[in-house]
Amino acid sequence: MSPFALFLSTLLILSSSCCYAIGSQNNRTVLALASRIGINYGKLGNNLPSPYQSINLIKTLQAGHVKLYDADPETLKLLSKTNLYVTIMVPNNQIISIGSDQAAADNWVATNVLPFYPQTRIRFVLVGNEILSYNTDQDKQIWANLVPAMRKVVNSLRARGIHNIKVGTPLAMDALRSSFPPSSGTFREDIAVPVMLPLLKFLNGTNSFFFLDVYPYFPWSTDPVNNHLDFALFESNSTYTDPQTGLVYTNLLDQMLDSVIFAMTKLGYPNIPLAISETGWPNSGDIHEIGANVLNAATYNRNLIKKMTANPPLGTPARRGSPIPTFLFSLFNENQKPGSGTERHWGILNPDGTPIYDIDFSGTRSVSSFGTLPKPSNNVPFKGNVWCVAVDGADEAELGQALNFACGRSNATCAALAPGGECYAPVTVTWHASYAFSSYWAQFRNQSSQCYFNGLARETTTNPGNERCKFPSVTL
């Protein structure tokens, strides 16, 4: 998942007449897939239920579709005993080989589709995951092979008589150079012609979907003063009118979706249907991560489901009445995802299967009928000092390795831990690691370091030091 910033733009835009009705046959397909909300099932945790238990939980939630980040054979076999639609994924690291060799695509389909289809109701194969968010030379080779790989997967499916599995690729909002106002939506210059044009031609020619990972949380939390929380949570009574098109917006998600529609239109493809491959709101996060709490997460996801399951479909201001297949992110909090605290807190279920908050995937339950949730305290930025310390119960051997890492980058980081130093005592791995974590984080936070250390660290607003030993802190 990549942060998305709102940009003002003075670019020329096409008028609102750019957006036309989707073809009737494809529209029926979209409507059938959009009528049931999907869930993303990630497995980056060391405390998650088995695939068997997880699939039963998905059925209990009454989700209609499950999206995997692989093509795990155990999970696909278990899903054959359900009525769930299924999405599987080609890993980023296989795109080059598949894009350059039809035999590799045939082998991938033979291994990951044919043993399970049609008993497992596979409906989408997604090639890669947010590959345009990475831009090393190796990544750019993947860019060049993206559409060829998608084409070869389709060729392989069709050669085997399979025509009802759509092929796409999920992209993040950072594929856009400009997104605000929505009418200014424009793809980045480095990808517009070499990647997006052939991608859109492929999607249009195969009646597939533009899959988008779209998170209103990120633009709101980047600028919570100018972006109102209620507008991001579908709770606002205020509106925004696009100055170029006159389209009226009541929520941030519609603005983001329409910016992609306008970007596609500028490249000559106004009719490709959207699918939301990921969206959601974090239920917790680091101390500085404003608005990441259970109430906001529940409010966003409940209102999102109401919007996306409305009958007839609501669409967006640029595409009134168009259904949008949607997958919530995610099933579980995944405790091994790297990055800031929000990365590990997008789930609707705890690892033991209990709900973090109640949610109704059918969209029929009134939002006001859910029970009261705790009032959050982090909807405004935190001001004060924050330290980074070892988590309770951490394995001492792992702490020792993390301690060596933290102290190894700079001699200054752990100078106070030397024998006779002001923080040498008490001589325990936990004490030394806590000091090292805080010192490292304070020293290198401006270089994107996180208080994480492979899950061994946590943030705290309680000063862990004493009169003799002053722990370095981060001031927010």
Side-chain angles (χ1 to χ4, degrees):
M1 288 172 299
S2 305
F4 151 73
L6 294 175
F7 294 101
L8 291 174
S9 173
T10 57
L11 297 173
L12 294 175
I13 51 89
L14 300 180
S15 71
S16 59
S17 62
C18 67
C19 304
Y20 307 103
I22 302 168
S24 59
Q25 180 177 359
N26 201 36
N27 200 38
R28 286 194 295 272
T29 303
V30 180
L31 186 58
L33 292 167
S35 62
R36 301 169 70 191
I37 296 292
I39 187 73
N40 283 277
Y41 173 24
K43 302 176 181 178
L44 292 179
N46 60 10
N47 57 354
L48 300 181
S50 68
Y52 175 81
Q53 293 169 313
S54 298
I55 290 168
N56 281 336
L57 290 168
I58 293 170
K59 290 162 60 179
T60 301
L61 289 170
Q62 296 185 316
H65 202 139
V66 58
K67 175 168 157 270
L68 310 179
Y69 288 87
D70 52 23
D72 174 58
E74 178 188 3
T75 306
L76 289 175
K77 186 174 181 180
L78 289 167
L79 285 166
S80 69
K81 298 176 173 60
T82 75
N83 290 321
L84 290 162
Y85 292 127
V86 179
T87 293
I88 59 177
M89 188 172 283
V90 176
N92 291 0
N93 61 13
Q94 293 186 31
I95 291 175
I96 292 176
S97 62
I98 292 175
S100 57
D101 184 5
Q102 183 63 53
D106 293 343
N107 182 63
W108 192 91
V109 169
T111 302
N112 298 291
V113 177
L114 298 186
F116 313 103
Y117 179 87
Q119 289 80 11
T120 299
R121 304 174 73 187
I122 300 171
R123 290 297 178 266
F124 297 123
V125 172
L126 299 184
V127 179
N129 191 35
E130 297 187 353
I131 70 163
L132 300 182
S133 299
Y134 310 96
N135 60 1
T136 66
D137 290 341
Q138 173 76 7
D139 294 323
K140 290 179 180 178
Q141 282 190 310
I142 297 177
W143 297 2
N145 281 276
L146 174 62
V147 175
M150 296 169 74
R151 229 181 256 121
K152 288 178 174 61
V153 171
V154 167
N155 291 342
S156 185
L157 292 170
R158 288 180 175 171
R160 289 155 178 80
I162 300 173
H163 295 274
N164 66 340
I165 295 179
K166 300 292 184 183
V167 175
T169 187
L171 301 179
M173 286 296 296
D174 62 3
L176 271 66
R177 180 187 70 191
S178 174
S179 57
F180 184 82
S183 58
S184 76
T186 311
F187 291 115
R188 295 185 343 236
E189 291 179 359
D190 60 328
I191 61 172
V193 173
V195 183
M196 297 311 302
L197 262 179
L199 174 61
L200 296 177
K201 181 179 179 181
F202 168 85
L203 297 176
N204 189 63
T206 59
N207 287 324
S208 191
F209 300 78
F210 189 107
F211 285 89
L212 186 66
D213 294 351
V214 54
Y215 291 95
Y217 171 75
F218 289 121
W220 170 76
S221 63
T222 300
D223 186 9
V225 174
N226 293 312
N227 296 313
H228 296 294
L229 178 60
D230 286 351
F231 197 74
L233 297 176
F234 308 98
E235 297 267 291
S236 179
N237 293 321
S238 63
T239 60
Y240 170 81
T241 301
D242 188 301
Q244 298 295 329
T245 64
L247 294 174
V248 179
Y249 292 87
T250 61
N251 63 80
L252 186 51
L253 178 67
D254 279 349
Q255 288 185 339
M256 298 169 77
L257 296 175
D258 276 0
S259 69
V260 175
I261 291 172
F262 280 103
M264 290 193 291
T265 300
K266 287 170 188 169
L267 292 182
Y269 292 92
N271 300 334
I272 296 172
L274 291 178
I276 298 176
S277 39
E278 289 182 11
T279 192
W281 196 281
N283 58 64
S284 185
D286 291 335
I287 291 168
H288 70 279
E289 292 185 296
I290 183 174
N293 58 64
V294 170
L295 180 59
N296 290 348
T299 303
Y300 178 85
N301 283 331
R302 291 167 180 172
N303 286 330
L304 172 84
I305 291 173
K306 293 291 286 187
K307 171 180 169 62
M308 293 304 178
T309 57
N311 187 17
L314 298 177
T316 69
R319 283 187 183 167
R320 293 292 181 194
S322 294
I324 305 172
T326 298
F327 295 84
L328 285 189
F329 186 86
S330 61
L331 183 60
F332 299 113
N333 283 345
E334 298 171 65
N335 68 353
Q336 291 184 316
K337 291 191 71 177
S340 64
T342 51
E343 286 297 317
R344 294 175 288 282
H345 291 94
W346 293 89
I348 59 173
L349 298 180
N350 292 300
D352 64 1
T354 58
I356 296 171
Y357 49 85
D358 290 332
I359 195 162
D360 168 34
F361 271 65
S362 72
T364 58
R365 184 174 172 182
S366 168
V367 173
S368 61
S369 71
F370 291 101
T372 303
L373 290 170
K375 185 177 180 180
S377 60
N378 68 342
N379 281 346
V380 295
F382 174 83
K383 301 293 183 184
N385 292 330
V386 184
W387 292 265
C388 182
V389 298
V391 298
D392 296 336
D395 180 84
E396 286 203 353
E398 294 179 355
L399 276 181
Q401 293 175 355
L403 170 62
N404 290 336
F405 167 81
C407 294
R409 183 169 174 180
S410 167
N411 290 335
T413 305
C414 297
L417 295 176
E422 59 269 29
C423 296
Y424 178 66
V427 187
T428 67
V429 174
T430 300
W431 173 264
H432 279 219
S434 290
Y435 179 89
F437 292 168
S438 261
S439 183
Y440 182 94
W441 188 46
Q443 191 173 357
F444 298 112
R445 182 172 181 266
N446 289 337
Q447 299 175 34
S448 299
S449 72
Q450 305 282 346
C451 178
Y452 179 59
F453 295 95
N454 291 326
L456 299 172
R458 64 176 178 86
E459 295 181 9
T460 179
T461 57
T462 302
N463 187 345
N466 53 44
E467 290 185 3
R468 175 178 169 83
C469 176
K470 307 299 182 185
F471 273 51
S473 66
V474 168
T475 300
L476 300 177

